[in-house]
Amino acid sequence: MIGRLAQQSPALLREIRAAGHVIGNHGFSHRHPWTLTRARARSEVRAALDTIAQALGERPQWFRPPHGRLGAYLVEAAREEGQRVALWSVSAVDWGPLATRERIQARLGALRAGDIVLMHDGPLRHNRPDRTLQVLPSLLAALMRDGPSPAPLPVVATMEA
């Protein structure tokens, strides 16, 4: 969760967690890791972490760097805060001109056990979660029927940076 968005909707965070989802830190403002100084990286990680912890009453264990880029300062800051770094192995590419329903469905239809899937949940800039939502019900039904079964992050293998 992006910290500034968590700050605007703490009740939504609690609702998401109550539904069984794992909430992770995605930085406070979603700035690209390669543009951050060491001090700014620490601020990005810590501010989001504090905001999420305040809303949930517990600190998130996971950190996913914005844009999926492992800037050294950002990874260092996350580790200093005791967070594990998680990336993804499959992207829905649910943003920009490639975010058609058919393309999202094709990409997500090829999932394998152990995949970590990147999907966007908000329409920031060019994200198209509305198109992802068109695909998810049938995808989740197929996964529940045929496997692999969806599982939250603590259960799956992660990529440690």
Side-chain angles (χ1 to χ4, degrees), residues 17-135:
R17 186 185 61 186
H21 299 280
V22 174
I23 306 289
N25 181 352
H26 196 39
F28 191 80
S29 66
H30 204 264
R31 287 193 48 196
H32 197 291
W34 298 345
T35 69
L36 301 175
T37 64
R38 177 175 269 130
R40 182 65 184 172
R42 284 186 175 133
S43 175
E44 281 286 313
V45 170
R46 193 168 294 135
L49 186 63
D50 290 346
T51 299
I52 294 167
Q54 185 175 27
L56 297 179
E58 62 188 32
R59 293 167 49 101
Q61 298 176 12
W62 297 97
F63 177 79
R64 184 172 69 82
H67 307 280
R69 302 295 183 233
L70 296 172
Y73 296 146
L74 205 54
V75 171
E76 176 184 282
R79 287 192 171 152
E80 285 174 358
E81 294 295 335
Q83 295 199 285
R84 294 177 65 186
V85 175
L87 294 177
W88 64 86
S89 56
V90 174
S91 175
V93 190
D94 54 354
W95 47 269
L98 299 178
T100 66
R101 180 177 191 219
E102 294 76 21
R103 287 181 172 182
I104 293 169
Q105 190 165 8
R107 284 186 283 274
L108 296 182
L111 295 177
R112 298 183 325 249
D115 279 340
I116 297 175
V117 182
L118 169 67
M119 292 179 277
H120 293 88
D121 61 357
L124 296 176
R125 291 189 204 127
H126 51 266
N127 292 349
R128 296 304 311 261
D130 56 318
R131 294 187 181 157
T132 305
L133 285 173
Q134 294 172 354
V135 171

